[in-house]
Amino acid sequence: MPLSRTTSPSSPGRGLLTGDRYRAELDDGRELYLDGELVTDPATHPAFRPAVDELARLLDLQHQPEHEELLTWKDPDTGLRLARGYQPPYTLEELRLQRRSAEFWHAEALGQHGRSPAFMASIAVGVYDFRHRLEGARTGFGANAEAWYRHCARNDLVLSHALGDPQVDRSADPVDDPDLALRVLEENDRGIVVRGAKQLTTLAPLAHEVLVYLSASFAQRRGEQFVVWFALPLNTPGLVTLCREPLGSAPWGHAHPLGARYDEQDAMLFFDDVLVPWDRVFLLRDADLARTGLGRINAWSAYVGHIRYRERLRTLLATATLLAESIGVDGFRNIQEDLGRLAGYAELTEYFLDAAEARAAVTDGGLLAPGDTAASRVWSAEVAGSAVEIVRSIGASGLLMQPTAKDLANPRLRPQLDRYMRGRGIGAEQKSRLFRLAWELTGDGFGQRQDLYEAVHRGDLARNRINLFKRYDQGAVRERLQRLISEPVTASPVSTAPASTDFQEVHP
């Protein structure tokens, strides 16, 4: 069960979620709004049901015997089998098991689940790893973090996280206008009271709980009242969830298999003087520790996120190849070059994952964390648009004009469609499905949302480049160059010796 309004994180766990249990647990009395109306049960609402059903299908895979060893692990303390994403890795083999499990999940979802349960579970692992630092800052906070992690893992909770601040006035300081950011209003014997909002909380309408922690954009801001980490069930009194427009349906006949299944939903969270119990607070008013912790707790999620991105690139590559084959351009040199570029992107993601494993190191919390691959996150954001553009350029105008299922069923239209809208070795009906799939990936509301997600979810690209520059060790090269320019350049003597013949010339 999701944590109720009164349940402690130390309550006994129920083990792996089933799809049916997940559906039932979403009907928990949360205050959830879509298009101005209160949604009482996301699992049965037509806007959310396909996405809930897809998550339920994936959760059910954990219970199939052939996937048990890959997708689950046995908790030594309880004997429960838990989701692999929640396993704290102590060895390289355990880290690689996380990778293989995440690869399975993201292959099933075609790389479209940015905030998959596997991704968010790895952030819970990061919070668990950081517990000693949290405890050192304030007695009890580390114990709270550990208890919350165990509660999530032992109940296989689906999580969301909230970082972004409302786009009210980014030029202003929240100290001068406190409504610009979530803040702590008071501390009392029961906990802390928070007021404010968090935007773009992906998956919140379909999750059990939300983890709230300091956004990187707070790095230079003043005001300790804005620095807080906590986690809450999404049915907490005073917590209001507002959904954006769904992206998985259209009124004119086209099926939207990707948007319907994989629209994770993004939401605004409004905290209307919400009480956060003390056992749900992990960090308070310590900006330096929050900045340090931001990278630490996301070490594993960055790794899992890159696994997801690799699968998205593979999906784009396969789609582009099928498009090219369907209209007979796959033999054209420029098309092959574009496909090769996309294949190169997909292959590079493998190198980045291997590098993260090769650079893995034990943290002060005792877990094995993937090595920092900040450059790969910058690169991923830089090439994301190019990857989508390759698919668009191959599909070209065909992405815009494809018949619907009802068009294909119309006896007056069908002969024309079979003659003029077929492809090379592919009928009009299958070709229309392929091109509509490509449009969903790259052009319609769902595709544009996925493209924007790639651009923004890794954080501000300019800031990430600057941080990469500041962290990169140039010491040895700078020293050599300083030595080189410290003295005047002298002309090298010209040698009059005959050229050496101590080699054998080799011709290809």
PDB file of all heavy atoms in Angstrom, residues 254 323 391-392 394-404 407 421 431-432 434-440 442-444 448:
ATOM      1  N   HIS A 254      -6.798   8.624 -35.665  1.00  0.00           N
ATOM      2  CA  HIS A 254      -5.461   8.046 -35.596  1.00  0.00           C
ATOM      3  C   HIS A 254      -5.238   7.376 -34.245  1.00  0.00           C
ATOM      4  O   HIS A 254      -5.524   7.944 -33.199  1.00  0.00           O
ATOM      5  CB  HIS A 254      -4.379   9.118 -35.787  1.00  0.00           C
ATOM      6  CG  HIS A 254      -4.099   9.428 -37.216  1.00  0.00           C
ATOM      7  ND1 HIS A 254      -3.847   8.460 -38.158  1.00  0.00           N
ATOM      8  CD2 HIS A 254      -4.036  10.613 -37.877  1.00  0.00           C
ATOM      9  CE1 HIS A 254      -3.637   9.034 -39.335  1.00  0.00           C
ATOM     10  NE2 HIS A 254      -3.747  10.339 -39.187  1.00  0.00           N
ATOM     11  N   LEU A 323      11.570   3.418 -42.256  1.00  0.00           N
ATOM     12  CA  LEU A 323      11.036   4.451 -43.144  1.00  0.00           C
ATOM     13  C   LEU A 323      11.783   4.454 -44.473  1.00  0.00           C
ATOM     14  O   LEU A 323      11.166   4.499 -45.549  1.00  0.00           O
ATOM     15  CB  LEU A 323      11.164   5.823 -42.485  1.00  0.00           C
ATOM     16  CG  LEU A 323      10.254   6.173 -41.318  1.00  0.00           C
ATOM     17  CD1 LEU A 323      10.621   7.545 -40.769  1.00  0.00           C
ATOM     18  CD2 LEU A 323       8.788   6.144 -41.722  1.00  0.00           C
ATOM     19  N   VAL A 391      15.231  11.328 -38.414  1.00  0.00           N
ATOM     20  CA  VAL A 391      13.981  10.601 -38.686  1.00  0.00           C
ATOM     21  C   VAL A 391      13.026  11.488 -39.477  1.00  0.00           C
ATOM     22  O   VAL A 391      12.406  11.047 -40.457  1.00  0.00           O
ATOM     23  CB  VAL A 391      13.323  10.144 -37.372  1.00  0.00           C
ATOM     24  CG1 VAL A 391      12.033   9.382 -37.651  1.00  0.00           C
ATOM     25  CG2 VAL A 391      14.283   9.281 -36.566  1.00  0.00           C
ATOM     26  N   ARG A 392      12.908  12.736 -39.085  1.00  0.00           N
ATOM     27  CA  ARG A 392      12.014  13.661 -39.790  1.00  0.00           C
ATOM     28  C   ARG A 392      12.423  13.837 -41.251  1.00  0.00           C
ATOM     29  O   ARG A 392      11.580  13.868 -42.143  1.00  0.00           O
ATOM     30  CB  ARG A 392      12.026  15.027 -39.101  1.00  0.00           C
ATOM     31  CG  ARG A 392      11.262  15.109 -37.797  1.00  0.00           C
ATOM     32  CD  ARG A 392      10.936  16.573 -37.512  1.00  0.00           C
ATOM     33  NE  ARG A 392      10.528  16.758 -36.125  1.00  0.00           N
ATOM     34  CZ  ARG A 392      11.228  17.400 -35.210  1.00  0.00           C
ATOM     35  NH1 ARG A 392      12.414  17.902 -35.522  1.00  0.00           N
ATOM     36  NH2 ARG A 392      10.773  17.544 -33.988  1.00  0.00           N
ATOM     37  N   ILE A 394      14.043  11.849 -43.237  1.00  0.00           N
ATOM     38  CA  ILE A 394      13.806  10.659 -44.061  1.00  0.00           C
ATOM     39  C   ILE A 394      12.317  10.488 -44.329  1.00  0.00           C
ATOM     40  O   ILE A 394      11.897  10.215 -45.455  1.00  0.00           O
ATOM     41  CB  ILE A 394      14.391   9.406 -43.381  1.00  0.00           C
ATOM     42  CG1 ILE A 394      15.925   9.510 -43.338  1.00  0.00           C
ATOM     43  CG2 ILE A 394      13.962   8.133 -44.109  1.00  0.00           C
ATOM     44  CD1 ILE A 394      16.591   8.395 -42.563  1.00  0.00           C
ATOM     45  N   GLY A 395      11.487  10.670 -43.312  1.00  0.00           N
ATOM     46  CA  GLY A 395      10.042  10.558 -43.512  1.00  0.00           C
ATOM     47  C   GLY A 395       9.469  11.707 -44.309  1.00  0.00           C
ATOM     48  O   GLY A 395       8.499  11.536 -45.060  1.00  0.00           O
ATOM     49  N   ALA A 396      10.064  12.897 -44.134  1.00  0.00           N
ATOM     50  CA  ALA A 396       9.695  14.104 -44.878  1.00  0.00           C
ATOM     51  C   ALA A 396       8.176  14.332 -44.836  1.00  0.00           C
ATOM     52  O   ALA A 396       7.537  14.139 -43.813  1.00  0.00           O
ATOM     53  CB  ALA A 396      10.234  14.026 -46.294  1.00  0.00           C
ATOM     54  N   SER A 397       7.586  14.709 -45.966  1.00  0.00           N
ATOM     55  CA  SER A 397       6.166  15.065 -45.979  1.00  0.00           C
ATOM     56  C   SER A 397       5.263  13.874 -45.707  1.00  0.00           C
ATOM     57  O   SER A 397       4.094  14.052 -45.331  1.00  0.00           O
ATOM     58  CB  SER A 397       5.800  15.698 -47.325  1.00  0.00           C
ATOM     59  OG  SER A 397       6.044  14.779 -48.379  1.00  0.00           O
ATOM     60  N   GLY A 398       5.790  12.665 -45.900  1.00  0.00           N
ATOM     61  CA  GLY A 398       4.986  11.485 -45.619  1.00  0.00           C
ATOM     62  C   GLY A 398       4.567  11.384 -44.173  1.00  0.00           C
ATOM     63  O   GLY A 398       3.564  10.730 -43.850  1.00  0.00           O
ATOM     64  N   LEU A 399       5.312  12.033 -43.276  1.00  0.00           N
ATOM     65  CA  LEU A 399       4.944  12.011 -41.865  1.00  0.00           C
ATOM     66  C   LEU A 399       3.644  12.771 -41.614  1.00  0.00           C
ATOM     67  O   LEU A 399       2.945  12.509 -40.631  1.00  0.00           O
ATOM     68  CB  LEU A 399       6.065  12.624 -41.019  1.00  0.00           C
ATOM     69  CG  LEU A 399       7.415  11.905 -41.034  1.00  0.00           C
ATOM     70  CD1 LEU A 399       8.423  12.669 -40.196  1.00  0.00           C
ATOM     71  CD2 LEU A 399       7.276  10.482 -40.520  1.00  0.00           C
ATOM     72  N   LEU A 400       3.330  13.709 -42.496  1.00  0.00           N
ATOM     73  CA  LEU A 400       2.162  14.556 -42.286  1.00  0.00           C
ATOM     74  C   LEU A 400       0.883  13.950 -42.853  1.00  0.00           C
ATOM     75  O   LEU A 400      -0.205  14.203 -42.334  1.00  0.00           O
ATOM     76  CB  LEU A 400       2.387  15.928 -42.935  1.00  0.00           C
ATOM     77  CG  LEU A 400       3.538  16.764 -42.367  1.00  0.00           C
ATOM     78  CD1 LEU A 400       3.718  18.022 -43.206  1.00  0.00           C
ATOM     79  CD2 LEU A 400       3.248  17.136 -40.925  1.00  0.00           C
ATOM     80  N   MET A 401       0.985  13.175 -43.916  1.00  0.00           N
ATOM     81  CA  MET A 401      -0.215  12.741 -44.627  1.00  0.00           C
ATOM     82  C   MET A 401      -0.290  11.224 -44.669  1.00  0.00           C
ATOM     83  O   MET A 401       0.358  10.578 -45.494  1.00  0.00           O
ATOM     84  CB  MET A 401      -0.205  13.315 -46.060  1.00  0.00           C
ATOM     85  CG  MET A 401      -1.424  12.958 -46.869  1.00  0.00           C
ATOM     86  SD  MET A 401      -2.953  13.557 -46.121  1.00  0.00           S
ATOM     87  CE  MET A 401      -3.895  12.036 -46.030  1.00  0.00           C
ATOM     88  N   GLN A 402      -1.047  10.663 -43.747  1.00  0.00           N
ATOM     89  CA  GLN A 402      -1.283   9.227 -43.733  1.00  0.00           C
ATOM     90  C   GLN A 402      -2.754   8.968 -43.422  1.00  0.00           C
ATOM     91  O   GLN A 402      -3.372   9.699 -42.638  1.00  0.00           O
ATOM     92  CB  GLN A 402      -0.404   8.538 -42.686  1.00  0.00           C
ATOM     93  CG  GLN A 402       1.077   8.541 -43.002  1.00  0.00           C
ATOM     94  CD  GLN A 402       1.416   7.804 -44.281  1.00  0.00           C
ATOM     95  OE1 GLN A 402       0.767   6.807 -44.616  1.00  0.00           O
ATOM     96  NE2 GLN A 402       2.427   8.290 -44.996  1.00  0.00           N
ATOM     97  N   PRO A 403      -3.340   7.945 -44.031  1.00  0.00           N
ATOM     98  CA  PRO A 403      -4.758   7.660 -43.810  1.00  0.00           C
ATOM     99  C   PRO A 403      -5.020   7.100 -42.414  1.00  0.00           C
ATOM    100  O   PRO A 403      -4.157   6.448 -41.824  1.00  0.00           O
ATOM    101  CB  PRO A 403      -5.080   6.613 -44.885  1.00  0.00           C
ATOM    102  CG  PRO A 403      -3.774   5.929 -45.137  1.00  0.00           C
ATOM    103  CD  PRO A 403      -2.729   7.009 -44.992  1.00  0.00           C
ATOM    104  N   THR A 404      -6.213   7.348 -41.905  1.00  0.00           N
ATOM    105  CA  THR A 404      -6.629   6.777 -40.634  1.00  0.00           C
ATOM    106  C   THR A 404      -7.192   5.375 -40.859  1.00  0.00           C
ATOM    107  O   THR A 404      -7.392   4.933 -42.009  1.00  0.00           O
ATOM    108  CB  THR A 404      -7.697   7.638 -39.969  1.00  0.00           C
ATOM    109  OG1 THR A 404      -8.905   7.554 -40.745  1.00  0.00           O
ATOM    110  CG2 THR A 404      -7.261   9.092 -39.863  1.00  0.00           C
ATOM    111  N   ASP A 407     -10.298   5.688 -42.830  1.00  0.00           N
ATOM    112  CA  ASP A 407     -10.005   5.915 -44.253  1.00  0.00           C
ATOM    113  C   ASP A 407      -9.748   4.587 -44.944  1.00  0.00           C
ATOM    114  O   ASP A 407     -10.265   4.325 -46.043  1.00  0.00           O
ATOM    115  CB  ASP A 407      -8.779   6.808 -44.410  1.00  0.00           C
ATOM    116  CG  ASP A 407      -9.012   8.242 -43.982  1.00  0.00           C
ATOM    117  OD1 ASP A 407     -10.162   8.706 -44.034  1.00  0.00           O
ATOM    118  OD2 ASP A 407      -8.020   8.894 -43.590  1.00  0.00           O
ATOM    119  N   MET A 421      -0.666   5.104 -51.922  1.00  0.00           N
ATOM    120  CA  MET A 421      -0.081   5.326 -50.610  1.00  0.00           C
ATOM    121  C   MET A 421       0.598   4.071 -50.071  1.00  0.00           C
ATOM    122  O   MET A 421       0.900   3.978 -48.881  1.00  0.00           O
ATOM    123  CB  MET A 421      -1.128   5.847 -49.612  1.00  0.00           C
ATOM    124  CG  MET A 421      -1.742   7.161 -50.073  1.00  0.00           C
ATOM    125  SD  MET A 421      -2.598   8.075 -48.754  1.00  0.00           S
ATOM    126  CE  MET A 421      -1.203   8.744 -47.869  1.00  0.00           C
ATOM    127  N   LYS A 431       2.149   0.617 -43.960  1.00  0.00           N
ATOM    128  CA  LYS A 431       2.968   1.822 -44.143  1.00  0.00           C
ATOM    129  C   LYS A 431       2.390   2.996 -43.348  1.00  0.00           C
ATOM    130  O   LYS A 431       3.127   3.777 -42.728  1.00  0.00           O
ATOM    131  CB  LYS A 431       3.049   2.182 -45.621  1.00  0.00           C
ATOM    132  CG  LYS A 431       3.913   3.413 -45.890  1.00  0.00           C
ATOM    133  CD  LYS A 431       3.815   3.869 -47.336  1.00  0.00           C
ATOM    134  CE  LYS A 431       4.505   5.203 -47.530  1.00  0.00           C
ATOM    135  NZ  LYS A 431       4.229   5.778 -48.865  1.00  0.00           N
ATOM    136  N   SER A 432       1.072   3.130 -43.330  1.00  0.00           N
ATOM    137  CA  SER A 432       0.463   4.236 -42.594  1.00  0.00           C
ATOM    138  C   SER A 432       0.753   4.110 -41.107  1.00  0.00           C
ATOM    139  O   SER A 432       0.993   5.113 -40.428  1.00  0.00           O
ATOM    140  CB  SER A 432      -1.041   4.277 -42.847  1.00  0.00           C
ATOM    141  OG  SER A 432      -1.709   3.187 -42.222  1.00  0.00           O
ATOM    142  N   LEU A 434       3.396   2.663 -39.772  1.00  0.00           N
ATOM    143  CA  LEU A 434       4.811   2.974 -39.581  1.00  0.00           C
ATOM    144  C   LEU A 434       5.040   4.485 -39.577  1.00  0.00           C
ATOM    145  O   LEU A 434       5.728   5.022 -38.691  1.00  0.00           O
ATOM    146  CB  LEU A 434       5.644   2.320 -40.687  1.00  0.00           C
ATOM    147  CG  LEU A 434       7.107   2.754 -40.781  1.00  0.00           C
ATOM    148  CD1 LEU A 434       7.865   2.384 -39.509  1.00  0.00           C
ATOM    149  CD2 LEU A 434       7.771   2.118 -42.007  1.00  0.00           C
ATOM    150  N   PHE A 435       4.459   5.184 -40.541  1.00  0.00           N
ATOM    151  CA  PHE A 435       4.690   6.627 -40.623  1.00  0.00           C
ATOM    152  C   PHE A 435       4.021   7.364 -39.467  1.00  0.00           C
ATOM    153  O   PHE A 435       4.553   8.374 -38.981  1.00  0.00           O
ATOM    154  CB  PHE A 435       4.200   7.155 -41.975  1.00  0.00           C
ATOM    155  CG  PHE A 435       5.244   7.090 -43.057  1.00  0.00           C
ATOM    156  CD1 PHE A 435       5.621   5.876 -43.605  1.00  0.00           C
ATOM    157  CD2 PHE A 435       5.870   8.243 -43.514  1.00  0.00           C
ATOM    158  CE1 PHE A 435       6.591   5.800 -44.594  1.00  0.00           C
ATOM    159  CE2 PHE A 435       6.854   8.188 -44.502  1.00  0.00           C
ATOM    160  CZ  PHE A 435       7.211   6.963 -45.037  1.00  0.00           C
ATOM    161  N   ARG A 436       2.875   6.883 -39.015  1.00  0.00           N
ATOM    162  CA  ARG A 436       2.249   7.523 -37.867  1.00  0.00           C
ATOM    163  C   ARG A 436       3.069   7.291 -36.599  1.00  0.00           C
ATOM    164  O   ARG A 436       3.148   8.157 -35.721  1.00  0.00           O
ATOM    165  CB  ARG A 436       0.815   7.005 -37.681  1.00  0.00           C
ATOM    166  CG  ARG A 436      -0.150   7.477 -38.765  1.00  0.00           C
ATOM    167  CD  ARG A 436      -1.602   7.433 -38.288  1.00  0.00           C
ATOM    168  NE  ARG A 436      -1.990   6.136 -37.770  1.00  0.00           N
ATOM    169  CZ  ARG A 436      -2.537   5.153 -38.486  1.00  0.00           C
ATOM    170  NH1 ARG A 436      -2.737   5.335 -39.786  1.00  0.00           N
ATOM    171  NH2 ARG A 436      -2.881   4.015 -37.922  1.00  0.00           N
ATOM    172  N   LEU A 437       3.686   6.103 -36.505  1.00  0.00           N
ATOM    173  CA  LEU A 437       4.576   5.836 -35.373  1.00  0.00           C
ATOM    174  C   LEU A 437       5.759   6.805 -35.388  1.00  0.00           C
ATOM    175  O   LEU A 437       6.146   7.366 -34.356  1.00  0.00           O
ATOM    176  CB  LEU A 437       5.071   4.394 -35.436  1.00  0.00           C
ATOM    177  CG  LEU A 437       5.936   3.909 -34.276  1.00  0.00           C
ATOM    178  CD1 LEU A 437       5.094   3.717 -33.027  1.00  0.00           C
ATOM    179  CD2 LEU A 437       6.629   2.603 -34.643  1.00  0.00           C
ATOM    180  N   ALA A 438       6.330   7.019 -36.573  1.00  0.00           N
ATOM    181  CA  ALA A 438       7.444   7.957 -36.700  1.00  0.00           C
ATOM    182  C   ALA A 438       7.004   9.378 -36.353  1.00  0.00           C
ATOM    183  O   ALA A 438       7.749  10.135 -35.723  1.00  0.00           O
ATOM    184  CB  ALA A 438       8.006   7.911 -38.120  1.00  0.00           C
ATOM    185  N   TRP A 439       5.778   9.739 -36.742  1.00  0.00           N
ATOM    186  CA  TRP A 439       5.255  11.062 -36.410  1.00  0.00           C
ATOM    187  C   TRP A 439       5.093  11.210 -34.901  1.00  0.00           C
ATOM    188  O   TRP A 439       5.415  12.257 -34.331  1.00  0.00           O
ATOM    189  CB  TRP A 439       3.921  11.276 -37.124  1.00  0.00           C
ATOM    190  CG  TRP A 439       3.225  12.564 -36.800  1.00  0.00           C
ATOM    191  CD1 TRP A 439       2.021  12.720 -36.190  1.00  0.00           C
ATOM    192  CD2 TRP A 439       3.681  13.896 -37.092  1.00  0.00           C
ATOM    193  NE1 TRP A 439       1.693  14.049 -36.068  1.00  0.00           N
ATOM    194  CE2 TRP A 439       2.700  14.794 -36.620  1.00  0.00           C
ATOM    195  CE3 TRP A 439       4.829  14.411 -37.702  1.00  0.00           C
ATOM    196  CZ2 TRP A 439       2.831  16.172 -36.732  1.00  0.00           C
ATOM    197  CZ3 TRP A 439       4.956  15.792 -37.810  1.00  0.00           C
ATOM    198  CH2 TRP A 439       3.973  16.651 -37.338  1.00  0.00           C
ATOM    199  N   GLU A 440       4.632  10.151 -34.248  1.00  0.00           N
ATOM    200  CA  GLU A 440       4.508  10.196 -32.787  1.00  0.00           C
ATOM    201  C   GLU A 440       5.865  10.383 -32.115  1.00  0.00           C
ATOM    202  O   GLU A 440       5.987  11.083 -31.117  1.00  0.00           O
ATOM    203  CB  GLU A 440       3.886   8.897 -32.280  1.00  0.00           C
ATOM    204  CG  GLU A 440       2.415   8.982 -32.008  1.00  0.00           C
ATOM    205  CD  GLU A 440       1.985   7.891 -31.054  1.00  0.00           C
ATOM    206  OE1 GLU A 440       1.976   6.722 -31.466  1.00  0.00           O
ATOM    207  OE2 GLU A 440       1.669   8.215 -29.893  1.00  0.00           O
ATOM    208  N   THR A 442       8.449  11.928 -33.314  1.00  0.00           N
ATOM    209  CA  THR A 442       9.215  13.122 -33.684  1.00  0.00           C
ATOM    210  C   THR A 442       8.403  14.387 -33.890  1.00  0.00           C
ATOM    211  O   THR A 442       8.975  15.483 -33.872  1.00  0.00           O
ATOM    212  CB  THR A 442       9.992  12.867 -34.993  1.00  0.00           C
ATOM    213  OG1 THR A 442       9.052  12.662 -36.067  1.00  0.00           O
ATOM    214  CG2 THR A 442      10.891  11.656 -34.877  1.00  0.00           C
ATOM    215  N   GLY A 443       7.076  14.268 -34.111  1.00  0.00           N
ATOM    216  CA  GLY A 443       6.371  15.452 -34.569  1.00  0.00           C
ATOM    217  C   GLY A 443       5.140  15.873 -33.823  1.00  0.00           C
ATOM    218  O   GLY A 443       4.888  17.072 -33.684  1.00  0.00           O
ATOM    219  N   ASP A 444       4.336  14.937 -33.332  1.00  0.00           N
ATOM    220  CA  ASP A 444       3.093  15.351 -32.690  1.00  0.00           C
ATOM    221  C   ASP A 444       3.357  15.799 -31.257  1.00  0.00           C
ATOM    222  O   ASP A 444       4.504  15.960 -30.836  1.00  0.00           O
ATOM    223  CB  ASP A 444       2.045  14.234 -32.762  1.00  0.00           C
ATOM    224  CG  ASP A 444       2.325  13.088 -31.808  1.00  0.00           C
ATOM    225  OD1 ASP A 444       3.394  13.057 -31.169  1.00  0.00           O
ATOM    226  OD2 ASP A 444       1.460  12.190 -31.694  1.00  0.00           O
ATOM    227  N   GLN A 448       7.030  15.889 -29.549  1.00  0.00           N
ATOM    228  CA  GLN A 448       7.643  17.160 -29.176  1.00  0.00           C
ATOM    229  C   GLN A 448       7.939  17.208 -27.678  1.00  0.00           C
ATOM    230  O   GLN A 448       8.956  17.754 -27.253  1.00  0.00           O
ATOM    231  CB  GLN A 448       6.715  18.313 -29.559  1.00  0.00           C
ATOM    232  CG  GLN A 448       6.586  18.531 -31.055  1.00  0.00           C
ATOM    233  CD  GLN A 448       7.904  18.937 -31.692  1.00  0.00           C
ATOM    234  OE1 GLN A 448       8.619  19.780 -31.174  1.00  0.00           O
ATOM    235  NE2 GLN A 448       8.238  18.337 -32.811  1.00  0.00           N
TER     236      GLN A 448
END
